Amino acid sequence: MTVIIGAHSGDVVTTSRIDPPAEIPLPMRRNGLDPAPELLSLHKDDGVVRIDGPFRAPTWLVTRYADVRAVLADTARFSNAAPLPGFAEANAEQSVAGNLLLSDPPDHHRLRRMLSGQFTLRRMRALAPRVEQIVEEHLDVMAQKGPPADLIADFALPVPSLVICELLGVPWDERDEFQRRSAEQMDLSRPEHERVAALQELHRYLSGLVVRARRSPADDLLGMLVREHGDELTDPELAGMALLLLVAGHETTANMIGLGTLALLRHPDQLAVVRDDPAATERAVEELLRWLSVVHTGVQRTATADVELAGVTIRAGDAVLVALPAANRDPGFIDHPDALDIGRGEAGHLAFGHGVHHCLGAPLARLELCAAFPALLRRFPSLALAVPDSEVEFRVFNSVYGAAALPVSWEIR
């Protein structure tokens, strides 16, 4: 079993029947920081193609921007709640309860409205000083240790992890355990039984936090849910909400910080702009989100009726996946899509999804990225890779794309 995260929303879904793959599935194929050529070529060829999906069943893969957007917007004809083939029935309750990505309206709206107040722009503005403090504290530690450093382990991963721990009320000294379990269940190269065990351990852990919150709700998100919606939510739903927020709240942002830094190091003129011009930060973050698209696909959907899409008839009951990196590199969406241009900050990218399942945590992700990139580059203006560029290793079999490690160095003044 593995976790697939939909466009950083925090919406998480568990799936099963995935054995260690012999080759990288088409929607996950990359060429370094770019989608694989064979994926991008579908824009001008078929647009919608039949592939072997994650359940070893034929699945439609949608690649063009307009078509992907249409699928994500149409919850009536493309259902998130329809039973998935091969779903592990024994784990159905803990996999579904509280999981926004495995629900359709109106149940999805019921769950989401309980969380949405914690991710408003006003709430993010209030949270910004603490996020900036966390960023600076980790940069202080890096500076004290001196170069070289692994940017992933020393900065990209701990910053969003600490933020989500504080938001949820997860003790920081227990972070290593949840990070390990999260990584295991997202690694498609691991045997299914290991991913199942990691999910079960994490769910048991969060169920314990729910019990404690029921007894004595603290001033954190889990405590808020208990105080304000405790009579409306079951314990499995509370644990499921905590699961999706905990996993999605650090994995995608951590990989964006790592890959975004690598992308800027490869484009030093644009790195200098992010470092030196505060007004450029927000546009740069939007362009990096579009260009990198670290989430390969959203959750698998099921057609509830026959649908014509890009000249193809998708039959009721068929499985459908959307290729987010391909959609965000579609020339029908944006000019020169393969170029990284932080000056444009194009609105409308699908890195956070679209429609009712659009990223719940998008404001938090943007806050963290806008704090992390300029602070890192200003603290270490001579930041550089500590290994040859060709030696950077990527996590090719993970649900969220990223670098396994990113050794960096800088000049000590």
Side-chain angles (χ1 to χ4, degrees):
M1 186 172 294
T2 187
V3 172
I4 298 177
I5 303 180
H8 193 83
S9 64
D11 288 354
V12 176
V13 60
T14 54
T15 62
S16 66
R17 297 297 303 158
I18 305 175
D19 294 324
E23 64 176 18
I24 303 171
L26 178 59
M28 298 172 61
R29 292 180 195 168
R30 307 268 181 151
N31 180 21
L33 298 183
D34 299 315
E38 61 266 33
L39 185 59
L40 293 179
S41 68
L42 296 174
H43 290 147
K44 55 188 176 185
D45 296 331
D46 301 292
V48 177
V49 295
R50 198 80 147 161
I51 63 168
D52 288 332
F55 304 109
R56 296 181 181 175
T59 301
W60 291 106
L61 180 67
V62 184
T63 63
R64 293 177 185 149
Y65 176 86
D67 296 331
V68 168
R69 187 180 168 96
V71 170
L72 295 177
D74 192 348
T75 58
R77 295 191 297 173
F78 296 100
S79 172
N80 288 36
L84 298 174
F87 195 85
E89 295 297 333
N91 296 292
E93 182 180 20
Q94 73 178 42
S95 299
V96 174
N99 192 322
L100 300 183
L101 262 190
L102 284 182
S103 63
D104 292 331
D107 193 47
H108 174 271
H109 295 333
R110 176 185 72 88
L111 295 170
R112 185 165 176 130
R113 70 173 173 81
M114 300 179 193
L115 288 169
S116 58
Q118 296 300 308
F119 295 94
T120 61
L121 292 178
R122 187 179 67 147
R123 180 79 173 93
M124 293 304 102
R125 283 194 292 267
L127 190 61
R130 178 56 182 146
V131 171
E132 292 165 2
Q133 181 183 17
I134 289 171
V135 166
E136 293 297 335
E137 288 172 351
H138 283 83
L139 293 175
D140 288 343
V141 172
M142 282 180 60
Q144 290 166 7
K145 289 170 58 177
D150 177 5
L151 190 73
I152 305 300
D154 294 337
F155 184 67
L157 184 58
V159 166
S161 296
L162 181 51
V163 171
I164 201 65
C165 279
E166 291 193 359
L167 197 63
L168 275 174
V170 175
W172 180 235
D173 58 2
E174 298 175 7
R175 69 193 182 282
D176 289 342
E177 284 302 302
F178 89 70
Q179 288 174 356
R180 176 184 62 81
R181 293 163 185 154
S182 173
E184 287 177 359
Q185 61 184 301
M186 297 182 74
D187 185 353
L188 303 189
S189 69
R190 302 183 75 91
E192 181 184 1
H193 72 274
E194 293 183 8
R195 301 196 299 272
V196 169
L199 175 64
Q200 291 173 333
E201 289 175 10
L202 188 53
H203 199 278
R204 281 194 294 268
Y205 169 72
L206 293 169
S207 296
L209 289 185
V210 168
V211 171
R212 280 187 273 175
R214 289 278 194 192
R215 291 174 182 165
S216 180
D219 188 22
D220 51 45
L221 196 150
L222 201 53
M224 178 279 294
L225 287 172
V226 168
R227 285 193 304 273
E228 298 182 10
H229 305 288
D231 294 339
E232 305 171 67
L233 293 167
T234 65
D235 284 2
E237 284 178 326
L238 283 166
M241 284 181 167
L243 174 65
L244 72 89
L245 291 170
L246 187 63
V247 175
H250 78 277
E251 274 287 344
T252 47
T253 304
N255 284 301
M256 270 300 305
I257 292 172
L259 292 188
T261 302
L262 178 58
L264 292 173
L265 288 172
R266 291 179 176 179
H267 296 80
D269 55 335
Q270 301 194 58
L271 181 152
V273 174
V274 175
R275 183 190 63 219
D276 299 334
D277 182 4
T281 301
E282 291 184 7
R283 293 194 306 274
V285 165
E286 294 306 314
E287 174 68 351
L288 286 167
L289 285 163
R290 178 200 71 83
W291 196 71
L292 292 167
S293 295
V294 297
V295 176
H296 304 292
T297 70
V299 59
Q300 178 175 296
R301 282 145 170 93
T302 303
T304 60
D306 290 356
V307 182
E308 288 288 330
L309 193 66
V312 170
T313 300
I314 299 174
R315 300 293 182 187
D318 284 355
V320 179
L321 283 173
V322 296
L324 297 173
N328 280 332
R329 297 286 191 99
D330 185 352
F333 161 53
I334 191 171
D335 293 334
H336 310 294
D338 295 327
L340 178 66
D341 179 1
I342 63 167
R344 57 184 168 190
E346 190 70 26
H349 66 73
L350 301 175
F352 288 127
H354 176 66
V356 300
H357 289 292
H358 179 268
C359 175
L360 177 68
L364 178 60
R366 287 185 167 108
L367 172 63
E368 293 172 307
L369 295 172
C370 286
F373 288 127
L376 170 68
L377 300 176
R378 289 169 194 157
R379 178 66 68 92
F380 306 117
S382 59
L383 191 74
L385 285 177
V387 297
D389 190 287
S390 60
E391 293 184 11
V392 175
E393 296 184 6
F394 299 98
R395 305 185 338 168
V396 296
F397 282 116
N398 278 67
S399 299
V400 180
Y401 191 59
L406 196 64
V408 294
S409 61
W410 59 91
E411 295 178 2
I412 299 177
R413 301 182 194 181

